[in-house]
Amino acid sequence: MDNPTAWTGHSDYKAFTFAPEGGVQVTGTEDQEIMAGANTMLMLPQAMQPETSLDPTMLTVVFNDGTGSQDRELTAELSGEWQMGKPILINCQSHQNTSLNLLRIIRQRCKANELKEGWTITSNQPWATLKSQLTPFEQQGYWLDTSDAYTAYCNSLTPKVPVERTLEITGNEQWEFLLYLFMSENSGDAERQVTLSIRPSDQTNATPSTIMITQKCPNWNNNLGWDR
């Protein structure tokens, strides 16, 4: 190694892109090796950050299955510890489906400094509700309908998980924290926006800090559509 110090001092989490030389033609056959041989991805031994952390370790595979012009993505959490000399095999599956499943749970990083009475975050759209913590099923990406059974399930967990899924939530966390935005299906022909506002809980007339999030409509092809 010509410069061993080049491998030190990299404590910040960053996103890196790795593309196989010349691309990979996916045949659709089971157990086809996509990133293998000279295209094997190598990483230094390190501890993976869970999806519930502020900087989770995630792997995203971008591909085009030939059914449309839009690229598609498969995303998975890398958990545990990436150990030296131990190969990791990741299995990806994509299933064509003519029905729409556009229910989304989005992680949103928030920041609130020195708010002694806490903060209040509000959504301005009924199809975009808020939650401060996820249940184990929601952490895996499952969308659970709100009902008496959902309330009982949240309360049965140890520790309990707030039910919420409302247009407004409050809290006392300081500095950076995570918020989860539940966006229902957008089956229309146009994208739509939701605005999230955060303000001090004890100052109802304060000018809030806002962020706008866009939910795109499907990439329609006659009566079929892909999520974007």
Side-chain angles (χ1 to χ4, degrees):
M1 184 183 300
D2 296 333
N3 184 13
T5 60
W7 293 95
T8 63
H10 299 290
S11 59
D12 294 336
Y13 291 97
K14 298 179 181 179
F16 297 91
T17 300
F18 178 79
E21 185 176 352
V24 174
Q25 184 66 39
V26 179
T27 62
T29 58
E30 188 175 1
D31 296 329
Q32 178 190 3
E33 291 188 337
I34 298 177
M35 307 290 283
N39 289 323
T40 300
M41 184 178 68
L42 301 177
M43 292 203 311
L44 293 175
Q46 56 188 285
M48 301 294 148
Q49 299 298 308
E51 188 174 8
T52 54
S53 69
L54 291 174
D55 295 292
T57 306
M58 308 293 291
L59 173 68
T60 299
V61 178
V62 181
F63 68 100
N64 192 308
D65 59 8
T67 60
S69 60
Q70 294 290 329
D71 288 340
R72 304 180 66 199
E73 296 183 355
L74 292 174
T75 301
E77 174 189 358
L78 299 182
S79 60
E81 183 177 356
W82 195 280
Q83 299 179 3
M84 181 173 59
K86 182 178 180 180
I88 303 295
L89 178 63
I90 300 174
N91 189 355
C92 299
Q93 294 181 340
S94 174
H95 302 281
Q96 183 174 347
N97 192 336
T98 57
S99 64
L100 293 175
N101 181 19
L102 308 183
L103 307 176
R104 288 292 185 90
I105 302 175
I106 297 179
R107 300 168 64 256
Q108 179 63 48
R109 185 182 305 201
C110 307
K111 180 179 291 188
N113 297 340
E114 300 181 0
L115 299 182
K116 296 181 180 180
E117 302 301 324
W119 45 261
T120 296
I121 297 179
T122 305
S123 164
N124 71 335
Q125 296 293 344
W127 47 265
T129 56
L130 304 166
K131 192 171 175 68
S132 59
Q133 299 178 42
L134 299 182
T135 67
F137 280 118
E138 290 166 339
Q139 290 177 17
Q140 298 177 51
Y142 291 102
W143 180 287
L144 305 179
D145 290 333
T146 54
S147 62
D148 291 341
Y150 178 73
T151 299
Y153 168 59
C154 292
N155 290 331
S156 70
L157 297 171
T158 305
K160 293 182 180 180
V161 172
V163 179
E164 297 171 332
R165 298 276 292 275
T166 54
L167 295 179
E168 183 176 280
I169 62 174
T170 60
N172 292 299
E173 290 85 354
Q174 298 296 305
W175 299 103
E176 292 187 348
F177 57 94
L178 290 177
L179 177 74
Y180 299 93
L181 179 65
F182 285 66
M183 297 199 303
S184 61
E185 177 182 78
N186 178 12
S187 57
D189 297 318
E191 62 184 31
R192 58 186 184 179
Q193 289 80 33
V194 56
T195 298
L196 303 183
S197 305
I198 183 171
R199 62 169 176 81
S201 293
D202 60 339
Q203 300 179 32
T204 56
N205 295 324
T207 301
S209 176
T210 62
I211 182 174
M212 179 179 290
I213 298 175
T214 298
Q215 184 185 37
K216 293 184 177 296
C217 64
N219 180 28
W220 291 111
N221 181 10
N222 295 322
N223 292 325
L224 304 179
W226 292 113
D227 188 9
R228 292 191 292 175

